[in-house]
């Protein structure tokens, strides 16, 4: 029995000297008769394991250092055997057989193995059993560990920062720059280089720390890689933490189903599941409960996965339901942090027993996973839709701003046109007033001319004998005064005419500055017509002025001829004077008619300009109306295009979702293929082990067992002296063969 106790210890702890394991009674050459065939077979397997472990020099040195400095409870096989009770010896024997017959036990007695794991794995067997549970032995990545330590990781600063926070009360990790902190940093750094997508995440260091308490850093690294790959931890520690959200959703659904009153209380207090349960899943209770309790739970986790976290979490809530219902949010947080961890100081058996009384339905968990995936897919679609709507809203705002600017520009143009029209109307009104004044002056001149004609007729009707000479002189003086007044009025009319011409020029300049983009041909025809009328009027005006000049010449000649007549008596010259006055009156009449005709021409021109301006304003209003109609039409087209764009984006989103689903299906098929490949590799390894076992069995059956045992001792001593480089190479090649297959 002592021999069987010592054997698994040598497997677990290669730091124990081989001389100790070989000096046990079971291995003594003087007692071959005490060995049964089963014991011989067990001994052969254990010796093979010892040989493989001792050939790995790097693992040997790492394990020696970690065990020597960590102060862990691993002890040598001889000292442990002397202190074990009878029950502990039975447990050791049982676990020793399980370790050496692992594949057979795992296949045929899986239920009994689970029951043993739930009762707790012995501390000295924990490292090897954990490696066997997660299939972390002989991983190719173990050979890369030393090369990874030589590389630089972008997460080194974060890892260094969190090292001191990991198990600060534990002897192995509490001292700064100690061996425990150094190996913990090495493992975390190596994994951050292997899995760059995850890198480093807070909480993972506690899991690695627990592994380092049980095994060397290379083996801890391999086990951690397996945990991340096969136990859903990698999905939990990804930057998105999507798997953590799924676990929270499943756990909350279990609370709602099995503890409805507590769930309603949590909802009323806005006490979300992630506030107390996220650390349970991320660290497997390592940061929430005492280390012995968390280690027992971790044993079960290595065997059964995350199911134990759901069970233990719900069991804790069941045990504390009455107290939690009485507390508010802050009280519940304090209860989870300070009260619940001390409830299990006596041991984890109570909570583990309660955990396996919790109802756990794997099919329902799968259903909840599908529901959560559907919800997240809808949320992603909604986020995509919200993002699309925000983009459309931003584009519509930009379009609205552009339309508002265009509308403001059109409004400014319209207001400017209205102001210009008002100014032209005012100027037109002033011109009309001036024209009315000119008409009034023309009427006054006509009335004066009529009075002069009457006076002439009266003078012609009077007899020549009558009429004193004094009257004729007075009449001449009166006529001269009227002539002077007529001249003054003519000068005033010329000034007014010049002012009106200047205003007309200004109006023409303003009219030329008005926009005229359409109906150019019609405007040119109107302009040609106006120019023709203006030319005709100017021609008539020139003719009238020529007539006036001719009359003035005749008048000057007449004055020259009659200059000598003023020396004669007034009676003789009365008729000639009256004729002269009549000629002067006719001359003024011609001048007034010319001025009236010129004024009418100017009035015609002003009316023409007014009509042109009215046409321009009407065209501007029509253009504004057309622009408004075009804006409406463009707005309608924009809406139609937006609807089409939304439909296209919706179809694109559907196509993207389908492509994502196809990619996911391809990845699932790849994962299945990888799993099938791993299973085939494992089967190949099992077949090779069975082949070696068959060879050893054949040797045992055909040779003397004691002689074979002595040969094994000699081989072990030779291997210890030579450090076995050739055997290490053979082992590496043997490990590489299944991978190549």
């Amino acid at each position: 029995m002592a021999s069987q106790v010592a054997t698994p210890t040598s497997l677990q702890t290669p730091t124990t000297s081989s001389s100790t394991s070989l000096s046990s009674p079971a291995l003594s050459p003087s007692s071959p008769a005490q060995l049964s065939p089963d014991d011989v077979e067990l001994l052969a397997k254990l010796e093979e394991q010892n040989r493989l472990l001792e050939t790995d020099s790097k693992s040997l040195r790492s394990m020696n250092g970690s065990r020597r400095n960590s102060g862990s409870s691993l002890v040598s096989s001889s000292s442990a055997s002397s202190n074990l009770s009878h029950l502990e010896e039975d447990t050791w024997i049982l676990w020793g057989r399980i370790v050496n017959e692992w594949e057979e036990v795992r296949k045929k007695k899986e239920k009994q193995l689970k029951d043993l794991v739930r009762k707790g794995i012995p501390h000295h067997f924990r490292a090897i059993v954990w490696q066997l549970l997660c299939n972390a032995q002989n991983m190719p990545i173990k050979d890369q560990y030393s090369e990874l330590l030589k590389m630089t990781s972008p997460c080194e600063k974060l890892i260094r920062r969190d090292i001191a926070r990991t198990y600060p009360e534990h002897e192995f990790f509490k001292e700064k720059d100690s061996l425990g902190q150094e190996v913990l940093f090495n493992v975390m750094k190596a994994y951050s280089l292997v899995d760059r997508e995850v890198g480093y995440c807070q909480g993972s260091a506690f899991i690695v720390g627990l592994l380092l308490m049980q095994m060397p850093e290379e083996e801890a690294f391999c086990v951690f890689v397996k945990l991340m790959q096969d136990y859903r931890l990698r999905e939990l520690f990804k930057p998105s933490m999507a798997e953590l959200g799924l676990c929270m959703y499943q756990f909350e659904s279990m609370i709602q189903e099995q503890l409805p009153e507590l769930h309603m209380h949590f909802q009323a207090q806005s006490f979300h599941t992630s506030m107390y349960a996220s650390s349970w899943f991320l660290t497997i209770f390592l940061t929430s409960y005492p280390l012995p309790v968390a280690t027992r739970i971790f044993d079960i986790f290595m065997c059964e996965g995350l199911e134990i976290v759901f069970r233990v979490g719900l069991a804790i809530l069941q045990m504390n339901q009455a107290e939690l219902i009485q507390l508010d949010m802050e009280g519940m947080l304090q209860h989870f942090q300070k009260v619940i961890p001390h409830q299990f100081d006596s041991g984890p058996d109570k909570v583990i027993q309660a955990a396996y009384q919790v109802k756990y339905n794997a099919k329902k968990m799968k259903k909840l996973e599908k529901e959560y995936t559907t919800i997240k897919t809808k949320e992603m679609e909604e986020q995509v839709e919200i993002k699309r709507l925000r983009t459309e809203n931003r584009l519509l705002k930009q379009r609205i701003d552009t339309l508002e600017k265009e509308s403001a520009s059109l409004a400014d143009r319209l207001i400017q046109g209205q102001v210009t029209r008002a100014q032209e109307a005012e100027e037109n009104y002033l011109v009309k007033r001036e024209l009315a004044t000119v008409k009034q002056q023309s009427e006054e001149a006509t009335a004066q001319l009529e009075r002069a004609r009457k006076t002439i007729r009266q003078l012609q009707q009077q007899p020549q004998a009558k009429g004193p000479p004094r009257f004729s002189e007075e009449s001449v003086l009166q006529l001269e005064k009227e002539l002077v007044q007529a001249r003054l009025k003519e000068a005033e009319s010329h000034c007014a005419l010049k002012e009106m011409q200047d205003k007309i020029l200004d109006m023409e300049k303003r009219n030329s500055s008005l926009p005229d983009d359409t109906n150019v041909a019609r405007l040119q025809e109107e302009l040609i017509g106006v120019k023709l009328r203006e030319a005709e009027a100017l021609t008539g005006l020139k003719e009238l002025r020529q007539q006036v000049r001719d009359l003035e010449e005749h008048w000057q000649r007449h004055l020259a001829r009659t200059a000598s007549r003023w020396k004669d008596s007034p009676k003789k010259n009365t008729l000639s004077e009256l004729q002269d006055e009549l000629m002067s009156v006719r001359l003024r009449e011609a001048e007034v008619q010319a001025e009236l005709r010129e004024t009418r021409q100017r009035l015609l021109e002003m009316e023409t300009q007014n009509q042109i301006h009215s046409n321009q304003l009407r065209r501007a209003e029509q253009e504004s109306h057309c622009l408004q109609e075009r804006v409406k039409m463009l707005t309608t087209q924009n809406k139609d295009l937006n609807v089409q764009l939304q439909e296209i984006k919706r179809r694109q989103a559907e196509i993207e979702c389908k492509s994502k689903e196809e990619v996911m299906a391809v990845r699932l098929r790849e994962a299945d293929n990888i799993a099938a490949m791993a299973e085939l590799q494992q089967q190949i390894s099992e077949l090779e082990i069975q082949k070696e076992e068959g060879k050893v069995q054949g040797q045992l059956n055909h040779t003397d067992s004691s002689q074979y045992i002595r040969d094994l001792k000699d081989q072990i001593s030779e291997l210890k002296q030579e450090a076995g480089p050739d055997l290490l190479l053979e082992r590496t090649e043997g490990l590489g063969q299944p991978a190549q297959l």
Side-chain angles (χ1 to χ4, degrees):
M1 183 178 296
S3 64
Q4 294 173 349
V5 171
T7 303
T9 307
S10 63
L11 262 179
Q12 161 61 19
T13 319
T15 58
T16 305
S17 64
S18 300
S19 60
T20 304
S21 60
L22 291 173
S23 62
S24 60
L27 298 178
S28 174
S30 61
S31 57
Q34 298 177 1
L35 294 174
S36 63
D38 293 335
D39 293 336
V40 172
E41 181 182 357
L42 175 60
L43 179 60
K45 293 180 180 179
L46 293 178
E47 292 296 328
E48 180 66 19
Q49 293 292 334
N50 277 333
R51 184 181 64 81
L52 293 176
L53 287 172
E54 289 174 354
T55 53
D56 193 347
S57 59
K58 184 189 299 184
S59 176
L60 181 61
R61 290 194 298 271
S62 173
M63 291 171 64
N64 285 332
S66 62
R67 295 302 179 273
R68 207 163 32 242
N69 292 283
S70 64
S72 61
S73 60
L74 294 179
V75 294
S76 64
S77 60
S78 60
S79 59
S81 300
S82 61
N83 296 323
L84 289 176
S85 64
H86 186 273
L87 180 60
E88 290 175 341
E89 290 181 358
D90 292 340
T91 305
W92 275 57
I93 294 171
L94 179 59
W95 278 102
R97 289 184 178 276
I98 290 173
V99 167
N100 288 278
E101 300 175 1
W102 177 257
E103 297 298 333
E104 183 178 357
V105 172
R106 189 70 180 269
K107 292 180 180 180
K108 298 181 180 180
K109 299 180 180 180
E110 185 176 2
K111 185 177 180 182
Q112 291 83 347
L113 179 61
K114 286 185 177 180
D115 292 338
L116 285 173
V117 172
R118 291 173 185 176
K119 292 178 182 179
I121 302 172
H123 178 70
H124 298 79
F125 285 92
R126 187 163 279 144
I128 187 65
V129 172
W130 282 1
Q131 295 179 53
L132 292 171
L133 284 171
C134 65
N135 295 322
Q137 289 184 321
N138 302 326
M139 289 181 64
I141 199 171
K142 184 176 181 180
D143 299 331
Q144 303 174 11
Y145 182 75
S146 58
E147 297 298 328
L148 292 172
L149 296 182
K150 298 177 183 178
M151 300 169 64
T152 303
S153 171
C155 305
E156 288 186 8
K157 290 184 179 180
L158 294 175
I159 298 171
R160 288 287 186 192
R161 184 192 63 187
D162 291 340
I163 286 295
R165 307 176 189 174
T166 306
Y167 299 113
E169 302 298 328
H170 198 278
E171 291 291 334
F172 191 42
F173 300 102
K174 71 178 182 179
E175 293 182 5
K176 186 177 181 181
D177 298 330
S178 63
L179 178 63
Q181 291 190 1
E182 190 63 28
V183 295
L184 178 59
F185 172 79
N186 291 342
V187 175
M188 298 308 302
K189 171 187 172 181
Y191 185 79
S192 68
L193 292 169
V194 170
D195 190 353
R196 295 185 180 271
E197 182 181 2
V198 175
Y200 169 72
C201 181
Q202 289 183 341
S204 59
F206 287 93
I207 298 175
V208 176
L210 180 64
L211 296 176
L212 289 172
M213 295 178 197
Q214 312 296 330
M215 62 190 73
E217 57 182 295
E218 291 92 343
E219 298 176 2
F221 172 69
C222 295
V223 172
F224 184 64
V225 171
K226 272 293 184 179
L227 291 178
M228 295 293 283
Q229 293 177 351
D230 300 340
Y231 286 75
R232 297 171 60 183
L233 292 185
R234 185 175 185 275
E235 301 298 326
L236 284 172
F237 288 118
K238 274 187 177 180
S240 62
M241 289 191 170
E243 192 72 14
L244 182 60
L246 171 61
C247 293
M248 294 297 102
Y249 180 77
Q250 292 173 332
F251 190 63
E252 187 173 358
S253 299
M254 291 178 66
I255 297 172
Q256 185 177 5
E257 179 183 358
Q258 301 185 31
L259 302 173
E261 296 180 0
L262 185 60
H263 180 265
M264 292 177 62
H265 179 66
F266 284 168
Q267 293 291 328
Q269 295 293 327
S270 298
F271 193 61
H272 301 291
T273 309
S274 59
M275 296 173 68
Y276 62 90
S278 58
S279 63
W280 295 353
F281 287 89
L282 289 173
T283 63
I284 321 298
F285 297 100
L286 291 172
T287 59
S288 304
Y289 301 105
L291 194 58
V293 179
T295 306
R296 282 284 303 277
I297 297 173
F298 202 84
D299 288 341
I300 305 174
F301 169 74
M302 294 293 293
C303 183
E304 302 180 16
L306 281 176
E307 176 183 343
I308 187 60
V309 182
F310 288 99
R311 289 183 176 276
V312 172
L314 203 61
I316 291 171
L317 294 179
Q318 287 178 348
M319 296 166 65
N320 293 270
Q321 180 177 5
E323 292 82 358
L324 291 172
I325 290 177
Q326 304 298 326
L327 301 174
D328 58 1
M329 181 188 290
E330 294 183 0
M332 287 188 288
L333 283 173
Q334 293 292 328
H335 192 79
F336 274 105
Q337 293 174 0
K338 296 182 179 180
V339 178
I340 293 180
H342 297 290
Q343 292 178 352
F344 311 111
D345 291 340
S346 60
D349 294 333
K350 182 179 179 181
V351 68
I352 292 176
Q353 184 178 2
Y356 282 97
Q357 294 177 359
V358 172
K359 295 179 181 179
Y360 182 88
N361 191 340
K363 293 183 178 179
K364 188 167 185 180
M365 299 297 279
K366 288 288 185 182
K367 183 179 179 182
L368 291 173
E369 182 178 356
K370 292 182 180 178
E371 291 178 1
Y372 181 78
T373 304
T374 304
I375 292 171
K376 284 298 177 181
T377 304
K378 290 182 179 179
E379 288 181 357
M380 291 179 63
E381 292 176 354
E382 290 175 357
Q383 289 178 358
V384 171
E385 183 68 18
I386 290 171
K387 187 176 181 181
R388 183 183 63 79
L389 291 175
R390 285 177 179 171
T391 304
E392 291 181 358
N393 191 14
R394 179 172 55 81
L395 295 175
L396 289 175
K397 284 183 179 179
Q398 293 177 357
R399 181 61 179 167
I400 289 171
D401 293 338
T402 305
L403 292 175
E404 286 180 352
K405 290 179 181 178
E406 293 178 357
S407 178
S409 177
L410 291 174
D412 292 339
R413 291 174 61 184
L414 182 60
I415 292 171
Q416 188 66 29
Q418 291 177 352
V419 171
T420 305
R421 187 174 180 182
Q423 291 177 353
E424 290 176 352
E426 184 177 359
E427 291 176 356
N428 195 8
Y429 175 71
L430 294 175
V431 170
K432 286 182 179 179
R433 285 183 60 184
E434 292 177 358
L435 184 60
T437 304
V438 172
K439 285 182 179 180
Q440 186 177 0
Q441 292 177 358
S442 178
E443 290 175 357
E444 291 177 357
T446 304
Q448 290 179 0
L449 183 61
E450 190 66 30
R451 287 196 301 270
R453 286 177 180 176
K454 288 181 181 179
T455 304
I456 292 171
R457 283 195 298 270
Q458 290 175 0
L459 290 174
Q460 288 177 353
Q461 291 175 3
Q462 289 180 0
Q464 295 181 358
K466 296 181 180 180
R470 187 178 179 183
F471 178 77
S472 298
E473 293 176 358
E474 291 178 355
S475 299
V476 171
L477 293 174
Q478 183 67 29
L479 288 173
E480 288 178 353
K481 290 180 180 179
E482 290 178 357
L483 181 60
V484 172
Q485 291 178 357
R487 293 281 181 174
L488 291 173
K489 289 181 180 179
E490 181 182 3
E492 292 176 355
S493 298
H494 278 294
C495 291
L497 180 62
K498 189 174 181 180
E499 291 178 357
M500 291 177 67
Q501 287 178 350
D502 293 337
K503 291 183 179 179
I504 289 170
L505 290 174
D506 292 338
M507 293 180 67
E508 287 179 352
K509 290 180 180 179
R510 293 178 184 177
N511 289 334
S512 63
S513 63
L514 291 173
D516 190 11
D517 298 331
T518 57
N519 300 325
V520 177
R522 188 156 57 85
L523 289 175
Q524 289 178 351
E525 292 175 359
E526 292 179 0
L527 182 60
I528 290 170
V530 171
K531 293 294 183 181
L532 289 175
R533 288 194 296 271
E534 185 179 1
E536 291 175 357
L538 290 174
T539 303
L541 183 60
K542 288 180 180 179
E543 291 176 355
L544 287 174
R545 287 179 177 175
Q546 185 65 34
Q547 291 177 3
V548 170
R549 282 195 295 271
D550 293 340
L551 288 172
E552 286 180 349
E553 290 177 359
H554 287 300
W555 170 253
Q556 293 296 333
R557 286 196 299 270
H558 177 69
L559 289 177
R561 286 195 304 268
T562 59
S564 61
R565 294 180 184 178
W566 294 102
K567 300 178 181 179
D568 297 336
S569 61
K571 293 181 180 179
K572 293 180 180 179
N573 297 327
T574 301
L575 183 59
S576 60
E577 289 175 356
L578 290 174
Q579 290 177 352
D580 293 338
E581 291 177 359
L582 179 61
M583 190 173 182
S584 299
V585 169
R586 286 179 179 176
L587 180 60
R588 289 195 298 272
E589 182 180 4
E591 291 176 352
V592 170
Q593 286 179 355
E595 291 176 356
L596 181 61
R597 187 171 181 179
E598 188 174 0
T599 303
R600 287 178 179 175
Q601 182 64 32
R602 288 200 300 269
L603 178 62
L604 181 61
E605 290 176 356
M606 296 301 298
E607 289 177 352
T608 303
Q609 292 291 337
N610 189 19
Q611 184 178 2
I612 291 172
H613 294 162
S614 300
N615 292 334
Q616 290 177 350
L617 290 174
R618 185 172 60 256
R619 286 193 294 271
E621 291 177 353
Q622 291 177 356
E623 182 181 359
S624 176
H625 182 69
C626 292
L627 288 174
Q628 291 178 355
E629 292 293 333
R630 186 178 179 184
V631 168
K632 292 180 181 179
M633 181 179 68
L634 290 175
T635 304
T636 306
Q637 292 178 357
N638 190 18
K639 291 181 179 178
D640 296 337
L641 291 174
N642 286 332
V643 172
Q644 294 177 3
L645 182 60
Q646 291 177 0
E647 182 66 21
I648 292 171
K649 288 183 177 179
R650 185 183 63 80
R651 292 177 181 176
Q652 185 178 3
E654 292 178 356
I655 293 171
E656 289 178 355
C657 291
K658 291 181 180 178
S659 64
K660 288 181 180 178
E661 291 177 356
E662 292 175 356
V663 170
M664 186 61 68
V666 171
R667 289 181 178 176
L668 290 174
R669 288 196 295 271
E670 290 179 355
D672 293 339
N673 293 333
I674 292 171
M677 184 65 69
E679 187 176 356
L680 289 174
Q681 291 177 354
Q682 183 179 0
Q683 291 178 1
I684 291 169
S685 300
E686 292 175 358
L687 291 174
E688 289 182 351
I689 292 172
Q690 290 177 5
K691 180 180 177 181
E692 294 296 330
E693 290 176 355
K695 291 181 179 179
V696 173
Q697 183 65 34
Q699 291 179 0
L700 289 176
N701 291 333
H702 294 87
T703 60
D704 189 8
S705 60
S706 61
Q707 182 64 31
Y708 180 65
I709 291 171
R710 284 194 298 272
D711 293 336
L712 286 177
K713 288 181 180 181
D714 296 336
Q715 291 177 5
I716 291 171
S717 60
E718 290 175 0
L719 288 173
K720 286 170 61 179
Q721 293 173 0
E722 295 176 358
D726 296 335
L727 293 177
L728 180 59
L729 179 60
E730 291 178 1
R731 181 188 173 191
T732 306
E733 293 176 353
L735 290 175
Q737 287 177 0
Q740 293 174 359
L741 288 174

